Amino acid sequence: MNLKDIHSVYFIGIGGIGMSALARYFNFIGKEVAGYDKTPTPITDGLEEIGIPVHFEDNVDLISDTFKHPQTLVVYTPAVPTYHTELNFYKNNGFQIKKRSEVLGIITKDSFCLAVAGTHGKTTTSAILAHLLKECGLPFTAFLGGISEDFNSNFVLDGTEYSVVEADEFDRSFLRLSPTVACITSMDADHLDIYGTKEELHHSFREFAGKIKPGGKLFVRKGLPMEGITFGIEDGSDFCIENIDIEHGTYIFDLVTPSEVIKNVKFNKPGRHNLLNGLAAFGMAVQTGCPPHRLAEALASFKGVQRRFSYQIKEKDFVFIDDYAHHPTEINAVYQAIREMHPGQKITVIFQPHLFSRTKDFADDFAASLSQFDEIILLEIYPAREEPMKGVTSSWLLDKIENPNKKLVQKSTLLNEIKNCKTGVLVALGAGDIGLEVPKIKKELAYAG
């Protein structure tokens, strides 16, 4: 595929975080762009604000003639069902149709590509990496899986020599990339609806490592069953964080590299998992030739990513945090971060399970993770691309949680429930549409205060 021959690009599933970044890219380089998605969201609102038309009904008649021209590239997400009318129209009429991951691979293959893989930590690590390259003045493009608070976007185009991408393991998408420097943050079992077994997932990560360009580098968190440059916390890794202190919610630590020790580095995102994300991004950025001391200094000014341990309210006696955590390992990481930063406080969690298959596969682990909190408010399962599974419900999950302070709440009554909630820390977790409830919760709590 030669991008110069493409006149227009039509996205089926344009509201996805990765799809919308690609849409912004093509709009930026002067292509005609439009798309379909199921429902309006802040992401689709943002696309429409920059002149990208989006419609919300699966109807070929709503696609303008501009996007029925043979020089139209059609990009779709694997989450789109096979019976989708618009997708089948393009298939039946011989259009060039590609998955998002294929297009991302084509765009980035000739750049110095920095790709972040892993079942957790991809979005934050790649956002930190983009921030570090920006601070060093490198010409780069970034396709992020979340809205960076440093750029207020999931897409950055400051040049094309370097690229920062999330290497998504879902649907084996990351096998379309050709990284110069790659990182694997974690390899916990997930997406078993795609892979079947943890072993098959691990095999796919090894395949991804094999996609690295000759002479390239692979970073791996110490302890993972992969060979590479290791990173970790107080464990003798090649890139290692040591002597951690916390002052006013900021981590201060020594950063050990293979060649030197950088002292008194600061980082403001809570949680040991975020320290690891920052360390991985630092190690990857060093491979571009940026001065290590400059990169270490830039870690302190990283603002964060929306819905990644985002403080919505931060008062002396109450905080409200929003996070995308949707896997037991991620929930544990959020819990650890809250306990470390807000010791002694009562913590109430609102959790919306994401996918019936993931809930079924990890039900006992979810129950154990959630049981740690002082109080649990559970919402119904967000189905995303799935049909319901018999017996897999939030009520079934609730029964497994070994904590008496638990209840199942409908989303429609959530605000009333929160009004009566007396807690020091309230945290909303999940990858579904719970993110759309967060501004309402914040408003309600601010009003109540």
Side-chain angles (χ1 to χ4, degrees):
M1 183 183 82
N2 190 332
L3 295 182
K4 291 176 183 173
D5 298 334
I6 301 298
H7 172 264
S8 50
V9 190
Y10 188 78
F11 288 84
I12 301 176
I14 197 168
I17 194 75
M19 291 281 276
S20 63
L22 271 184
R24 287 177 177 273
Y25 168 80
F26 281 112
N27 181 70
F28 192 93
I29 65 171
K31 308 294 183 185
E32 293 285 341
V33 179
Y36 154 88
D37 213 296
K38 278 199 297 189
T39 52
T41 64
I43 290 176
T44 58
D45 291 346
L47 294 175
E48 290 182 296
E49 282 170 14
I50 62 170
I52 297 175
V54 183
H55 63 260
F56 304 96
E57 181 187 338
D58 178 14
N59 184 343
V60 175
D61 292 339
L62 297 177
I63 303 172
S64 80
D65 289 343
T66 302
F67 301 95
K68 292 175 180 174
H69 188 279
Q71 285 178 304
T72 295
L73 169 65
V74 180
V75 185
Y76 75 103
T77 167
V80 173
T82 53
Y83 55 78
H84 195 276
T85 307
E86 294 183 8
L87 181 59
N88 283 304
F89 163 78
Y90 283 115
K91 282 182 176 177
N92 295 336
N93 286 282
F95 280 81
Q96 189 168 206
I97 302 173
K98 293 195 178 293
K99 288 184 181 179
R100 179 188 70 87
S101 56
E102 292 179 79
V103 178
L104 193 57
I106 291 165
I107 292 169
T108 59
K109 70 178 169 52
D110 294 327
S111 68
F112 186 110
C113 178
L114 301 120
V116 182
T119 43
H120 326 293
K122 290 186 294 292
T123 298
T124 301
T125 303
S126 53
I128 298 169
L129 189 48
H131 169 70
L132 296 182
L133 298 194
K134 175 74 171 178
E135 290 295 296
C136 277
L138 292 186
F140 75 100
T141 305
F143 299 90
L144 306 175
I147 306 298
S148 159
E149 291 176 0
D150 293 274
F151 301 104
N152 198 30
S153 180
N154 57 339
F155 170 66
V156 186
L157 207 166
D158 276 355
T160 57
E161 188 176 333
Y162 297 86
S163 61
V164 175
V165 298
E166 286 192 33
D168 189 0
E169 75 281 359
F170 173 70
D171 199 41
R172 296 177 171 84
S173 292
F174 58 179
L175 301 183
R176 304 282 185 178
L177 298 172
S178 307
T180 311
V181 177
C183 170
I184 299 176
T185 62
S186 50
M187 290 166 57
D188 290 313
D190 199 6
H191 302 301
L192 297 185
D193 54 325
I194 300 290
Y195 288 100
T197 65
K198 182 177 182 178
E199 290 70 30
E200 186 60 27
L201 174 69
H202 283 194
H203 174 71
S204 201
F205 274 104
R206 284 190 286 273
E207 269 193 86
F208 166 69
K211 300 287 182 182
I212 296 172
K213 292 172 183 171
K217 302 281 178 63
L218 174 65
F219 283 77
V220 295
R221 183 169 59 79
K222 188 161 186 178
L224 294 180
M226 299 282 290
E227 292 293 321
I229 301 167
T230 57
F231 64 95
I233 296 175
E234 295 175 339
D235 60 3
S237 296
D238 298 319
F239 284 80
C240 195
I241 286 173
E242 294 183 351
N243 303 321
I244 301 170
D245 278 328
I246 300 172
E247 291 183 12
H248 310 296
T250 294
Y251 286 117
I252 302 173
F253 53 89
D254 295 341
L255 205 166
V256 181
T257 79
S259 59
E260 63 182 318
V261 178
I262 305 172
K263 292 190 171 292
N264 298 318
V265 179
K266 295 182 179 180
F267 190 67
N268 293 306
K269 295 307 292 180
R272 299 293 171 110
H273 63 300
N274 279 321
L275 275 179
L276 285 166
N277 294 336
L279 180 60
F282 170 87
M284 294 177 78
V286 167
Q287 308 310 307
T288 67
C290 284
H293 283 263
R294 179 72 194 91
L295 292 170
E297 187 181 306
L299 283 172
S301 56
F302 173 67
K303 293 178 183 174
V305 182
Q306 288 181 16
R307 304 220 58 231
R308 303 306 193 278
F309 211 97
S310 301
Y311 282 103
Q312 300 296 311
I313 298 173
K314 194 174 185 181
E315 305 291 348
K316 186 178 178 183
D317 56 353
F318 175 74
V319 298
F320 172 38
I321 299 161
D322 175 32
D323 195 277
Y324 192 71
H326 56 284
H327 184 282
T329 302
E330 296 165 350
I331 295 171
N332 289 337
V334 170
Y335 179 79
Q336 177 274 322
I338 295 172
R339 279 281 174 241
E340 189 170 56
M341 292 297 172
H342 304 283
Q345 293 280 6
K346 178 184 175 183
I347 311 172
T348 299
V349 64
I350 307 164
F351 179 58
Q352 181 189 50
H354 183 262
L355 298 178
F356 295 103
S357 60
R358 185 181 281 121
T359 305
K360 172 176 165 287
D361 290 336
F362 305 110
D364 291 339
D365 294 329
F366 275 122
S369 297
L370 293 168
S371 295
Q372 300 173 95
F373 293 87
D374 298 302
E375 187 174 18
I376 302 107
I377 298 172
L378 193 62
L379 300 179
E380 295 292 357
I381 297 170
Y382 183 78
R385 57 187 178 271
E386 294 184 337
E387 296 298 322
M389 291 183 175
K390 188 175 181 181
V392 180
T393 64
S394 285
S395 179
W396 171 69
L397 177 58
L398 190 76
D399 288 342
K400 290 177 172 287
I401 296 172
E402 294 183 0
N403 183 328
N405 303 312
K406 61 181 181 180
K407 61 171 66 175
L408 180 60
V409 171
Q410 298 304 310
K411 207 162 49 174
S412 57
T413 63
L414 180 60
L415 290 183
N416 279 334
E417 189 66 39
I418 286 164
K419 277 183 196 174
N420 306 315
C421 179
K422 303 296 181 192
T423 193
V425 179
L426 179 66
V427 55
L429 303 180
D433 60 1
I434 187 171
L436 300 177
E437 300 301 309
V438 167
K440 301 175 196 173
I441 296 170
K442 181 178 179 180
K443 186 177 178 183
E444 182 63 46
L445 291 171
Y447 177 76

